[in-house]
Amino acid sequence: MTTQQTLKVQLVRSPIGTKESHRATVRGLGLRKLNSVSELKHTPEVRGMINKISYLVRIL
């Protein structure tokens, strides 16, 4: 069995005033309030979403 790698992502800037698609990406990653943390599977799709909103999040 292989273990799935995970990433922890924290929302550090408010998505208010950003593009609608960026706000949707933040919600898609499971982030709601500032400083909320979400643990996600390490997949190319998730990495792409993180890269899109890299100015709003921090990887822990």
Side-chain angles (χ1 to χ4, degrees):
M1 295 182 77
T2 61
T3 57
Q4 184 71 18
Q5 292 183 340
T6 59
L7 295 169
K8 283 190 178 181
V9 180
Q10 181 180 20
L11 186 63
V12 294
R13 287 191 59 196
S14 173
I16 295 174
T18 61
K19 293 182 178 180
E20 180 62 36
S21 63
H22 290 203
R23 290 194 297 268
T25 302
V26 168
R27 292 304 301 255
L29 289 173
L31 300 169
R32 294 177 182 258
K33 297 180 179 181
L34 280 181
N35 297 319
S36 63
V37 177
S38 183
E39 191 166 345
L40 307 161
K41 294 180 183 177
H42 188 276
T43 63
E45 294 82 7
V46 170
R47 288 301 298 189
M49 292 172 77
I50 292 171
N51 286 338
K52 183 176 182 177
I53 59 165
S54 61
Y55 64 99
L56 297 174
V57 298
R58 179 178 2 162
I59 297 176
L60 303 175

